[in-house]
Each structure stands twice: as structure tokens, then as C-alpha cells.
Amino acid sequence: MKLLIDDANIVKVKETWEYYPCDGVTTNPSILAASERQPYEVLREIREFIGPERELHVQVISKKAKDMEKEAGVIRERLGANTYVKIPMTPEGLKAIKSLSEAGVNVTATAIYTPMQAFLAAKAGAKYTAPYVNRINNMGYNGIQIAMDIHDIFRKNGLSAEVLAASFKNSQQVLELAKYGIGASTVATDVIEGFIKNAAITSAIQAFVDDFEGLVGNGRTMADC
Ligand code: G3P
């Protein structure tokens, strides 16, 4: 499972990238708004930081297919042709996904709440479909199960699309999908930081340090004992 950062705060993106094995960055209009910077200014900075080959996902705003396609053109022109264009999976979005995919554009179908949306987007050529795990949970359904069902639908129907699960609130949700082997998850930086934040780990490591310092002296390590 690929791990992407769902954030447009450049400081947080850089910090998370430095520590965690990440495969790319995803954004949406709300995430860009939270960065309080001009969209292309911050997106260019993210692109420069992650390099031309890594995955960057950027969402269109328009609601009509032809306008979505126009936005896709500008996004790719400004941020690189391999940038994944996120298209909300409405009927107009599906029309745009079909046409953009036929033209060789990397498309991520987003705002996925149902397996049928994902199935149609994949048949239309989307590379990824992004179910919103936590938002689905908040509606009283099982977001993890829906993401797994979508993965199974793709494999059973010979569709090459992958699940790019989004909207996570905790490590357990991400781990459930890693266990299932879905294609990718995109996770906010604060949730990523929680992945290995664990008092038991901290305490076990401190006990090792205390024992060692008791043997050779405070502040000593294997480099200078
Ligand atoms: O892009 C969709 C996803 O990032 C939404 O996450 O946390 O706003 O539900 P969230």
C-alpha cells in the first residue's frame, strides 16, 4: 500500500516526508484553503520539493465536464503532465474522467461514497478512486468495508484502477486497509504522526538507555564507550 500525505502545509509536508516513507502528496480545495496560500504558489512548492516523478494529486473545482477538462489542462501545464487530476465522481465528473483518461491524463476519481461510483470511474479509466473512509463511517456505514469492496470489485472485474483511500481519523483505519493490500492511502500529517506514537515504545527505549548509562556513564553511546 502506498502512503501519501493529505496536506498542503509545506512545513508539515516537508517534516512528514523527512521522517516517514511517503509516496506522494494529495490535496483538495479545503486543504488548499487551510494552507492560507495561493493555490499554485503552494502546489508548485510541493511539486519542487517532492520532485517531478512523485505523485501529486490536485482537485478541480468546476462542476461541468468541459470546465473540469479545462482545469485539468491548466493543472498539468503548471504542475507537470504526470500530476493526478482529482475529479469529483458525479455524472459530469464521469464524463470528464472518460474523456481525460482517453487522452492519457492521470485521473483520481474523488468524493467516492459508494462502490458503484468507484466501479464506473474505474471502467471510465480512472487510475485511482478515493473513498472517504471516515466520512462514510460518520454516515453510519462501514468505510473500511466499502474501500475493501471497491478493491475486490476492481480485481474481480480485471480493472487496473487502485483504491486511494482518504479521510482517515486514526491509525487503525489505515492499518486495516494495509492488511487488505489496497493500492494506497492518503493521510493527514497529524494522523501519520500518531502511527508510531506509543508510550510502551518510548518507555522500552528509555529503559535500554538507562541500563546502558548505568554501565558506562551518562550520555555515553556505542560511539564513545
Ligand atoms: O480529499 C478527501 C479527504 O482528504 C477528506 O478528508 O478528513 O476532510 O474527511 P477529511
Side-chain angles (χ1 to χ4, degrees), residues 97-173:
I97 290 168
K98 202 160 163 268
S99 147
L100 288 167
S101 299
E102 275 165 12
V105 176
N106 290 330
V107 173
T108 297
T110 194
I112 301 283
Y113 287 83
T114 71
M116 182 56 90
Q117 280 179 292
F119 172 62
L120 293 174
K123 270 188 80 68
K127 295 276 196 314
Y128 285 114
T129 68
Y132 290 178
V133 172
N134 202 66
R135 293 192 194 193
I136 295 171
N137 288 354
N138 287 341
M139 293 166 69
Y141 299 97
N142 187 336
I144 298 291
Q145 188 59 54
I146 287 174
M148 294 191 301
D149 288 348
I150 293 170
H151 176 87
D152 289 343
I153 288 168
F154 291 170
R155 296 298 86 91
K156 285 179 182 166
N157 286 277
L159 295 164
S160 59
E162 294 286 356
V163 172
L164 167 57
S167 179
F168 290 101
K169 286 294 164 275
N170 60 59
S171 301
Q172 188 266 347
Q173 293 170 331

Side-chain angles (χ1 to χ4, degrees), residues 6 27-28 31 59 86 110 132 135 166-169 186:
D6 202 20
T27 62
N28 66 32
I31 287 172
Q59 191 166 328
K86 289 175 71 178
T110 194
Y132 290 178
R135 293 192 194 193
S167 179
F168 290 101
K169 286 294 164 275
T186 185

Side-chain angles (χ1 to χ4, degrees), residues 68-99:
M68 292 177 178
E69 289 169 40
K70 191 174 160 197
E71 279 189 71
V74 177
I75 288 169
R76 295 173 76 234
E77 193 183 298
R78 297 202 187 176
L79 299 166
N82 64 338
T83 301
Y84 285 76
V85 180
K86 289 175 71 178
I87 306 281
M89 207 0 237
T90 58
E92 287 291 323
L94 185 57
K95 187 178 174 191
I97 290 168
K98 202 160 163 268
S99 147

Side-chain angles (χ1 to χ4, degrees), residues 37-92:
R37 296 186 52 197
Q38 287 306 302
Y40 282 109
E41 182 190 282
V42 70
L43 287 166
R44 268 204 206 97
E45 215 171 310
I46 294 171
R47 171 55 88 202
E48 271 169 31
F49 174 70
I50 65 175
E53 304 302 330
R54 301 280 188 168
E55 290 188 17
L56 176 62
H57 298 239
V58 179
Q59 191 166 328
V60 301
I61 311 298
S62 304
K63 292 182 179 163
K64 289 284 179 195
K66 66 170 177 15
D67 299 326
M68 292 177 178
E69 289 169 40
K70 191 174 160 197
E71 279 189 71
V74 177
I75 288 169
R76 295 173 76 234
E77 193 183 298
R78 297 202 187 176
L79 299 166
N82 64 338
T83 301
Y84 285 76
V85 180
K86 289 175 71 178
I87 306 281
M89 207 0 237
T90 58
E92 287 291 323

